[in-house]
Amino acid sequence: MQFISYLINGISLGSVYAIIALGYTMVYGIAKMLNFAHGDVIMVGGYMVFIFMVNLGLPAIVSIVLAMAVCTVLGIVIETVAYRPLRGAPSLAVLITAIGVSYLLQNLALLIWGSTPKSFTSVVNMEPLRLAGGQLVITGESIVTIGVCIVVMVGLSLFINRTRMGRAMLAVSEDKGAAQLMGVNVNGTIMLTFAIGSALAAVAGALLCSSYPMLLPTTGSMPGIKAFVAAVFGGIGSVPGAMLGGILLGIIETLSKAYISTQLSDAIVFSVLIIVLLVKPTGILGKKISEKV
Amino acid sequence: MGLKNLGRTSRKNLVTYLIAVLAFVILEGMVLTGNISNMLEGQLVPICAYVIAAVSLNLTVGILGELSLGHAGFMSVGAFAGALFSVSMEDTITVTWLRFVLALIIGAVAAGAMGVLIGIPVLRLQGDYLAIVTLAFGEIIKNVLNAVYLGVDENGLHFSMKDSIALGLSENGKVLIKGAQGIVGTPRDSTFIWGFALVMLTLFIVLNLIKSRTGRAVMSIRDNRIAAESVGINITKYKMIAFSLSAALAGVAGVLYAHSFSSLVASKFDYNLSIQILVFVVLGGIGSIRGSMIAAAVLTVLPEMLRSFSEYRMLVYAIVLIVMMIFNQSPKMVEWRKRVFAGRLKGAGHNAAKKGGA
């Protein structure tokens, strides 16, 4: 019974990773860049929900929607100011810029909100579910997180495959030049991708801080990196892959915390990345990309 | 042989050595005459360590053209290996310089070996993947070192991942690594003179490597991997040489750093330190060894002197990183600069900008 409860916790944590990983994988698929600042957008989302909900006393749903709006704007600003000028530049330059943006967000947050952790009030107001005569308790946060993850996943898949804008995203990720020739607005599509990714980051921030109610300027960085691991694990560029990778990684982390060692759980998670890259560099659901000379 | 007979690179390298010597002479003069603040004096050895770390990272980032985000991890391997040796041999080897030299060799070899070990899986990857895997390795090394307990008694070494009681030491036993508390009681063997000597050694190794056949092979991989492969350059071999040498030198920096403080914790060598070293490299100019050296020294001293400013230090670093990258590497900016300066500008950062992405 204890194992099942760990498993559910793992799936819940993994759902948060999956939502974050979606942002990574979409941006990577389309802009071919690793957006290091994604994890810090999560942190900004967390602080925004905190401000709207605790300081201004707004209802949870409204706070999350407002935080999503703020993060969307933030994502668009980051893309326009920092990443767009570097389109076509070597990947090393883009990567270093992304690290710079990540650091900028963290240190701005540090200046604005200070280094004392804020205790986050859960956005979920739901009684825990008791099963098997009270032996198995599933928290409201877990249920909501898993539910949100499924909704986001289905919604995003429909959006990408069924709408014009979604298909434009697919076209840009396949071949930027050809997409432009077919009349796709490439810059607009990339901006849209950042906007969606950042809005999802705000959701992830609210859910993450509800389950682990400690808000710090560095809150986002570790989950961000782990979500990237999840995206690679599932196959970068693939939406179902991000979902699968996120949930598997969440389970691995929770189980290794429970049965092996709390201190070493991060090391185990990162070892997964290395093993995946050694054995199947394209990830579980990734496509093989042949290299052009 | 006059100065004029030397090649352009040799003259440039000579200037680099001269800057290092000059800085050393001035600082050592200040120390000897007592015209130095306590704070700066305490920073002298760490500055040397940062310079070595920055120069060695530049070997990976600037010369090999791959981003490593786990440089602090290699420093920490070197630091722990060297400090462990010094702590356990403190009573056996009483000659300070001999002990320190041996610690340096052990630290460099340990970090270099770790570089080879990590290089095998990592160097098959490129770009973003390589960056994230080195980051992961840095975190793994930190986490593992944080959980390790090691003790010694007359029965030999005892090892545990739990706590110091689980080591089961006898009464005369001594705990060498205490998990998150790290290594305590490292003899403070490193001095500013040692630091300077090691900086010179690092400069000598790296500058000569760049000038050599091996260095040219490494740079050709950076500029165009496929073209390099097609003329018969063994990509894996040369990547491995550059990467493991960079790791070994980071290990030297780690040993130097560890021996300037009496306690050593793994959490010091975290992601932030890796980024800080990267900032030195980027600010000094990717590919410019002299730039890394100057940036590392200046950026370590400056925040110490401007205490009130230290709150904004990381913020400024971040902005500098972004602005530098956009200014140096954005295709539009590169074009604009070409128009304005009409070929006059040929900085090191610009050369690195030509790195061909495959």
Side-chain angles (χ1 to χ4, degrees), chain B residues 148-186:
Chain B
V148 164
Y149 288 84
L150 189 71
V152 67
D153 60 9
E154 59 273 5
N155 299 327
L157 286 174
H158 294 252
F159 172 83
S160 161
M161 297 294 270
K162 265 208 210 116
D163 50 43
S164 46
I165 301 152
L167 290 173
L169 291 175
S170 66
E171 277 173 25
N172 313 326
K174 183 171 155 192
V175 185
L176 296 174
I177 305 180
K178 287 181 192 151
Q181 287 171 317
I183 297 178
V184 190
T186 319

mmCIF file of all heavy atoms in Angstrom, chain B residues 148-186:
data_model
loop_
_atom_site.group_PDB
_atom_site.id
_atom_site.type_symbol
_atom_site.label_atom_id
_atom_site.label_comp_id
_atom_site.label_asym_id
_atom_site.label_seq_id
_atom_site.Cartn_x
_atom_site.Cartn_y
_atom_site.Cartn_z
ATOM 1 N N VAL B 148 29.109 11.244 1.085
ATOM 2 C CA VAL B 148 30.171 10.272 1.357
ATOM 3 C C VAL B 148 30.772 10.480 2.744
ATOM 4 O O VAL B 148 31.025 11.612 3.157
ATOM 5 C CB VAL B 148 31.285 10.382 0.289
ATOM 6 C CG1 VAL B 148 32.551 9.687 0.748
ATOM 7 C CG2 VAL B 148 30.823 9.787 -1.013
ATOM 8 N N TYR B 149 30.969 9.366 3.440
ATOM 9 C CA TYR B 149 31.723 9.390 4.694
ATOM 10 C C TYR B 149 32.906 8.451 4.524
ATOM 11 O O TYR B 149 32.752 7.335 4.037
ATOM 12 C CB TYR B 149 30.863 8.919 5.860
ATOM 13 C CG TYR B 149 29.808 9.922 6.242
ATOM 14 C CD1 TYR B 149 28.605 9.965 5.562
ATOM 15 C CD2 TYR B 149 30.037 10.834 7.259
ATOM 16 C CE1 TYR B 149 27.639 10.900 5.888
ATOM 17 C CE2 TYR B 149 29.080 11.768 7.586
ATOM 18 C CZ TYR B 149 27.882 11.799 6.902
ATOM 19 O OH TYR B 149 26.941 12.730 7.225
ATOM 20 N N LEU B 150 34.075 8.917 4.915
ATOM 21 C CA LEU B 150 35.258 8.089 4.760
ATOM 22 C C LEU B 150 36.097 8.236 6.027
ATOM 23 O O LEU B 150 36.310 9.338 6.508
ATOM 24 C CB LEU B 150 36.056 8.549 3.530
ATOM 25 C CG LEU B 150 37.209 7.668 3.094
ATOM 26 C CD1 LEU B 150 36.689 6.376 2.487
ATOM 27 C CD2 LEU B 150 38.073 8.382 2.078
ATOM 28 N N GLY B 151 36.521 7.102 6.553
ATOM 29 C CA GLY B 151 37.339 7.160 7.758
ATOM 30 C C GLY B 151 38.492 6.187 7.654
ATOM 31 O O GLY B 151 38.498 5.308 6.800
ATOM 32 N N VAL B 152 39.455 6.373 8.521
ATOM 33 C CA VAL B 152 40.608 5.472 8.490
ATOM 34 C C VAL B 152 40.978 5.084 9.924
ATOM 35 O O VAL B 152 40.889 5.893 10.850
ATOM 36 C CB VAL B 152 41.796 6.128 7.737
ATOM 37 C CG1 VAL B 152 42.339 7.326 8.501
ATOM 38 C CG2 VAL B 152 42.905 5.135 7.459
ATOM 39 N N ASP B 153 41.298 3.817 10.134
ATOM 40 C CA ASP B 153 41.895 3.387 11.397
ATOM 41 C C ASP B 153 42.925 2.297 11.085
ATOM 42 O O ASP B 153 43.282 2.101 9.921
ATOM 43 C CB ASP B 153 40.833 2.932 12.399
ATOM 44 C CG ASP B 153 40.016 1.754 11.893
ATOM 45 O OD1 ASP B 153 40.401 1.194 10.838
ATOM 46 O OD2 ASP B 153 39.011 1.415 12.520
ATOM 47 N N GLU B 154 43.376 1.579 12.115
ATOM 48 C CA GLU B 154 44.471 0.633 11.858
ATOM 49 C C GLU B 154 44.043 -0.526 10.944
ATOM 50 O O GLU B 154 44.870 -1.213 10.367
ATOM 51 C CB GLU B 154 45.047 0.114 13.182
ATOM 52 C CG GLU B 154 44.069 -0.601 14.095
ATOM 53 C CD GLU B 154 43.311 0.356 15.014
ATOM 54 O OE1 GLU B 154 43.476 1.586 14.864
ATOM 55 O OE2 GLU B 154 42.552 -0.123 15.858
ATOM 56 N N ASN B 155 42.713 -0.723 10.778
ATOM 57 C CA ASN B 155 42.256 -1.798 9.892
ATOM 58 C C ASN B 155 42.152 -1.356 8.439
ATOM 59 O O ASN B 155 41.776 -2.138 7.586
ATOM 60 C CB ASN B 155 40.886 -2.307 10.346
ATOM 61 C CG ASN B 155 40.957 -2.861 11.745
ATOM 62 O OD1 ASN B 155 41.976 -3.412 12.139
ATOM 63 N ND2 ASN B 155 39.890 -2.691 12.501
ATOM 64 N N GLY B 156 42.427 -0.096 8.188
ATOM 65 C CA GLY B 156 42.345 0.390 6.814
ATOM 66 C C GLY B 156 41.239 1.415 6.648
ATOM 67 O O GLY B 156 40.772 2.013 7.618
ATOM 68 N N LEU B 157 40.818 1.604 5.415
ATOM 69 C CA LEU B 157 39.821 2.628 5.109
ATOM 70 C C LEU B 157 38.408 2.101 5.348
ATOM 71 O O LEU B 157 38.118 0.934 5.112
ATOM 72 C CB LEU B 157 39.952 3.062 3.651
ATOM 73 C CG LEU B 157 41.149 3.948 3.299
ATOM 74 C CD1 LEU B 157 41.221 4.156 1.807
ATOM 75 C CD2 LEU B 157 41.068 5.289 4.005
ATOM 76 N N HIS B 158 37.545 2.986 5.842
ATOM 77 C CA HIS B 158 36.141 2.640 6.016
ATOM 78 C C HIS B 158 35.310 3.620 5.220
ATOM 79 O O HIS B 158 35.570 4.810 5.229
ATOM 80 C CB HIS B 158 35.738 2.726 7.498
ATOM 81 C CG HIS B 158 36.420 1.712 8.342
ATOM 82 N ND1 HIS B 158 35.781 0.639 8.872
ATOM 83 C CD2 HIS B 158 37.714 1.619 8.725
ATOM 84 C CE1 HIS B 158 36.643 -0.089 9.565
ATOM 85 N NE2 HIS B 158 37.829 0.495 9.490
ATOM 86 N N PHE B 159 34.285 3.082 4.584
ATOM 87 C CA PHE B 159 33.504 3.904 3.680
ATOM 88 C C PHE B 159 32.018 3.721 3.971
ATOM 89 O O PHE B 159 31.570 2.617 4.255
ATOM 90 C CB PHE B 159 33.817 3.475 2.243
ATOM 91 C CG PHE B 159 32.944 4.113 1.213
ATOM 92 C CD1 PHE B 159 33.242 5.377 0.741
ATOM 93 C CD2 PHE B 159 31.826 3.454 0.723
ATOM 94 C CE1 PHE B 159 32.433 5.965 -0.210
ATOM 95 C CE2 PHE B 159 31.020 4.043 -0.224
ATOM 96 C CZ PHE B 159 31.324 5.303 -0.689
ATOM 97 N N SER B 160 31.275 4.817 3.942
ATOM 98 C CA SER B 160 29.837 4.704 4.167
ATOM 99 C C SER B 160 29.115 5.832 3.457
ATOM 100 O O SER B 160 29.670 6.895 3.227
ATOM 101 C CB SER B 160 29.552 4.764 5.670
ATOM 102 O OG SER B 160 28.199 5.089 5.875
ATOM 103 N N MET B 161 27.857 5.584 3.112
ATOM 104 C CA MET B 161 27.044 6.644 2.524
ATOM 105 C C MET B 161 26.012 7.128 3.544
ATOM 106 O O MET B 161 25.150 7.919 3.208
ATOM 107 C CB MET B 161 26.312 6.130 1.274
ATOM 108 C CG MET B 161 27.215 5.691 0.145
ATOM 109 S SD MET B 161 28.157 7.029 -0.599
ATOM 110 C CE MET B 161 27.042 7.555 -1.876
ATOM 111 N N LYS B 162 26.067 6.620 4.773
ATOM 112 C CA LYS B 162 25.032 6.957 5.760
ATOM 113 C C LYS B 162 25.469 8.071 6.693
ATOM 114 O O LYS B 162 25.069 9.205 6.578
ATOM 115 C CB LYS B 162 24.688 5.702 6.567
ATOM 116 C CG LYS B 162 23.479 4.960 6.021
ATOM 117 C CD LYS B 162 22.820 4.220 7.167
ATOM 118 C CE LYS B 162 22.131 2.942 6.724
ATOM 119 N NZ LYS B 162 22.759 1.753 7.315
ATOM 120 N N ASP B 163 26.291 7.737 7.691
ATOM 121 C CA ASP B 163 26.804 8.749 8.607
ATOM 122 C C ASP B 163 28.127 8.270 9.190
ATOM 123 O O ASP B 163 28.571 7.166 8.895
ATOM 124 C CB ASP B 163 25.794 9.068 9.712
ATOM 125 C CG ASP B 163 25.273 7.814 10.373
ATOM 126 O OD1 ASP B 163 26.086 6.914 10.640
ATOM 127 O OD2 ASP B 163 24.058 7.740 10.616
ATOM 128 N N SER B 164 28.736 9.088 10.038
ATOM 129 C CA SER B 164 30.092 8.743 10.471
ATOM 130 C C SER B 164 30.085 7.577 11.458
ATOM 131 O O SER B 164 31.083 6.890 11.613
ATOM 132 C CB SER B 164 30.781 9.966 11.067
ATOM 133 O OG SER B 164 29.924 10.618 11.953
ATOM 134 N N ILE B 165 28.941 7.322 12.132
ATOM 135 C CA ILE B 165 28.902 6.189 13.060
ATOM 136 C C ILE B 165 28.913 4.876 12.286
ATOM 137 O O ILE B 165 29.521 3.893 12.708
ATOM 138 C CB ILE B 165 27.648 6.285 13.961
ATOM 139 C CG1 ILE B 165 27.713 7.600 14.731
ATOM 140 C CG2 ILE B 165 27.544 5.112 14.922
ATOM 141 C CD1 ILE B 165 26.406 8.186 15.108
ATOM 142 N N ALA B 166 28.244 4.907 11.126
ATOM 143 C CA ALA B 166 28.165 3.700 10.311
ATOM 144 C C ALA B 166 29.530 3.260 9.793
ATOM 145 O O ALA B 166 29.674 2.160 9.282
ATOM 146 C CB ALA B 166 27.217 3.928 9.136
ATOM 147 N N LEU B 167 30.530 4.132 9.933
ATOM 148 C CA LEU B 167 31.867 3.755 9.477
ATOM 149 C C LEU B 167 32.441 2.654 10.349
ATOM 150 O O LEU B 167 33.253 1.852 9.910
ATOM 151 C CB LEU B 167 32.808 4.969 9.529
ATOM 152 C CG LEU B 167 32.569 6.081 8.521
ATOM 153 C CD1 LEU B 167 33.455 7.256 8.830
ATOM 154 C CD2 LEU B 167 32.839 5.589 7.117
ATOM 155 N N GLY B 168 32.015 2.612 11.615
ATOM 156 C CA GLY B 168 32.496 1.591 12.534
ATOM 157 C C GLY B 168 33.986 1.691 12.788
ATOM 158 O O GLY B 168 34.703 0.697 12.754
ATOM 159 N N LEU B 169 34.457 2.903 13.057
ATOM 160 C CA LEU B 169 35.884 3.090 13.279
ATOM 161 C C LEU B 169 36.283 2.631 14.674
ATOM 162 O O LEU B 169 35.472 2.624 15.597
ATOM 163 C CB LEU B 169 36.244 4.569 13.131
ATOM 164 C CG LEU B 169 36.168 5.166 11.736
ATOM 165 C CD1 LEU B 169 36.438 6.644 11.806
ATOM 166 C CD2 LEU B 169 37.156 4.489 10.821
ATOM 167 N N SER B 170 37.534 2.223 14.827
ATOM 168 C CA SER B 170 38.037 1.911 16.161
ATOM 169 C C SER B 170 38.381 3.232 16.857
ATOM 170 O O SER B 170 38.233 4.313 16.293
ATOM 171 C CB SER B 170 39.277 1.028 16.046
ATOM 172 O OG SER B 170 40.315 1.779 15.446
ATOM 173 N N GLU B 171 38.838 3.146 18.094
ATOM 174 C CA GLU B 171 39.050 4.356 18.894
ATOM 175 C C GLU B 171 40.084 5.305 18.306
ATOM 176 O O GLU B 171 39.967 6.518 18.421
ATOM 177 C CB GLU B 171 39.460 3.965 20.315
ATOM 178 C CG GLU B 171 38.254 3.649 21.169
ATOM 179 C CD GLU B 171 38.666 3.104 22.513
ATOM 180 O OE1 GLU B 171 39.789 3.412 22.951
ATOM 181 O OE2 GLU B 171 37.863 2.368 23.104
ATOM 182 N N ASN B 172 41.089 4.740 17.656
ATOM 183 C CA ASN B 172 42.139 5.591 17.086
ATOM 184 C C ASN B 172 41.775 6.101 15.696
ATOM 185 O O ASN B 172 42.557 6.769 15.054
ATOM 186 C CB ASN B 172 43.456 4.818 16.981
ATOM 187 C CG ASN B 172 43.763 4.081 18.256
ATOM 188 O OD1 ASN B 172 43.450 4.562 19.338
ATOM 189 N ND2 ASN B 172 44.339 2.892 18.137
ATOM 190 N N GLY B 173 40.591 5.711 15.247
ATOM 191 C CA GLY B 173 40.205 6.050 13.882
ATOM 192 C C GLY B 173 40.009 7.545 13.692
ATOM 193 O O GLY B 173 39.814 8.306 14.634
ATOM 194 N N LYS B 174 40.092 7.952 12.449
ATOM 195 C CA LYS B 174 39.953 9.362 12.111
ATOM 196 C C LYS B 174 38.992 9.469 10.932
ATOM 197 O O LYS B 174 39.141 8.762 9.938
ATOM 198 C CB LYS B 174 41.345 9.881 11.723
ATOM 199 C CG LYS B 174 41.419 11.353 11.401
ATOM 200 C CD LYS B 174 42.898 11.729 11.258
ATOM 201 C CE LYS B 174 43.087 12.946 10.394
ATOM 202 N NZ LYS B 174 44.478 13.155 10.007
ATOM 203 N N VAL B 175 37.982 10.337 11.084
ATOM 204 C CA VAL B 175 37.055 10.524 9.971
ATOM 205 C C VAL B 175 37.675 11.514 8.997
ATOM 206 O O VAL B 175 38.066 12.615 9.387
ATOM 207 C CB VAL B 175 35.696 11.050 10.463
ATOM 208 C CG1 VAL B 175 34.701 11.118 9.318
ATOM 209 C CG2 VAL B 175 35.158 10.165 11.572
ATOM 210 N N LEU B 176 37.795 11.116 7.736
ATOM 211 C CA LEU B 176 38.440 11.997 6.759
ATOM 212 C C LEU B 176 37.419 12.870 6.027
ATOM 213 O O LEU B 176 37.591 14.071 5.914
ATOM 214 C CB LEU B 176 39.236 11.161 5.754
ATOM 215 C CG LEU B 176 40.407 10.373 6.345
ATOM 216 C CD1 LEU B 176 41.014 9.476 5.291
ATOM 217 C CD2 LEU B 176 41.463 11.307 6.918
ATOM 218 N N ILE B 177 36.339 12.255 5.528
ATOM 219 C CA ILE B 177 35.298 13.036 4.856
ATOM 220 C C ILE B 177 34.006 12.883 5.648
ATOM 221 O O ILE B 177 33.556 11.768 5.892
ATOM 222 C CB ILE B 177 35.072 12.553 3.403
ATOM 223 C CG1 ILE B 177 36.381 12.570 2.623
ATOM 224 C CG2 ILE B 177 34.054 13.436 2.708
ATOM 225 C CD1 ILE B 177 36.236 12.115 1.190
ATOM 226 N N LYS B 178 33.458 14.002 6.066
ATOM 227 C CA LYS B 178 32.265 13.949 6.913
ATOM 228 C C LYS B 178 31.037 14.408 6.136
ATOM 229 O O LYS B 178 30.434 15.426 6.465
ATOM 230 C CB LYS B 178 32.439 14.872 8.118
ATOM 231 C CG LYS B 178 33.411 14.362 9.147
ATOM 232 C CD LYS B 178 33.484 15.343 10.304
ATOM 233 C CE LYS B 178 34.662 14.997 11.187
ATOM 234 N NZ LYS B 178 35.201 16.178 11.852
ATOM 235 N N GLY B 179 30.673 13.691 5.116
ATOM 236 C CA GLY B 179 29.453 13.994 4.373
ATOM 237 C C GLY B 179 29.356 15.452 3.976
ATOM 238 O O GLY B 179 30.274 15.994 3.382
ATOM 239 N N ALA B 180 28.235 16.085 4.361
ATOM 240 C CA ALA B 180 28.001 17.463 3.941
ATOM 241 C C ALA B 180 28.999 18.435 4.571
ATOM 242 O O ALA B 180 29.184 19.550 4.075
ATOM 243 C CB ALA B 180 26.581 17.871 4.289
ATOM 244 N N GLN B 181 29.630 18.013 5.681
ATOM 245 C CA GLN B 181 30.626 18.904 6.295
ATOM 246 C C GLN B 181 31.962 18.845 5.575
ATOM 247 O O GLN B 181 32.854 19.643 5.846
ATOM 248 C CB GLN B 181 30.829 18.528 7.760
ATOM 249 C CG GLN B 181 29.664 18.942 8.619
ATOM 250 C CD GLN B 181 29.790 18.373 10.002
ATOM 251 O OE1 GLN B 181 30.149 17.202 10.181
ATOM 252 N NE2 GLN B 181 29.513 19.174 10.997
ATOM 253 N N GLY B 182 32.104 17.866 4.711
ATOM 254 C CA GLY B 182 33.289 17.784 3.871
ATOM 255 C C GLY B 182 34.546 17.397 4.627
ATOM 256 O O GLY B 182 34.508 16.641 5.586
ATOM 257 N N ILE B 183 35.658 17.966 4.182
ATOM 258 C CA ILE B 183 36.954 17.653 4.784
ATOM 259 C C ILE B 183 37.355 18.817 5.685
ATOM 260 O O ILE B 183 37.333 19.971 5.271
ATOM 261 C CB ILE B 183 38.025 17.435 3.699
ATOM 262 C CG1 ILE B 183 37.661 16.232 2.835
ATOM 263 C CG2 ILE B 183 39.397 17.245 4.320
ATOM 264 C CD1 ILE B 183 38.628 15.960 1.714
ATOM 265 N N VAL B 184 37.681 18.499 6.919
ATOM 266 C CA VAL B 184 38.078 19.535 7.862
ATOM 267 C C VAL B 184 39.553 19.346 8.203
ATOM 268 O O VAL B 184 40.035 18.220 8.292
ATOM 269 C CB VAL B 184 37.225 19.469 9.155
ATOM 270 C CG1 VAL B 184 37.466 20.687 10.009
ATOM 271 C CG2 VAL B 184 35.760 19.347 8.809
ATOM 272 N N GLY B 185 40.250 20.459 8.385
ATOM 273 C CA GLY B 185 41.635 20.391 8.830
ATOM 274 C C GLY B 185 42.638 20.171 7.718
ATOM 275 O O GLY B 185 43.692 19.574 7.923
ATOM 276 N N THR B 186 42.312 20.656 6.513
ATOM 277 C CA THR B 186 43.287 20.591 5.425
ATOM 278 C C THR B 186 44.455 21.504 5.785
ATOM 279 O O THR B 186 44.235 22.647 6.185
ATOM 280 C CB THR B 186 42.671 21.114 4.116
ATOM 281 O OG1 THR B 186 41.346 20.638 4.016
ATOM 282 C CG2 THR B 186 43.473 20.693 2.917
#
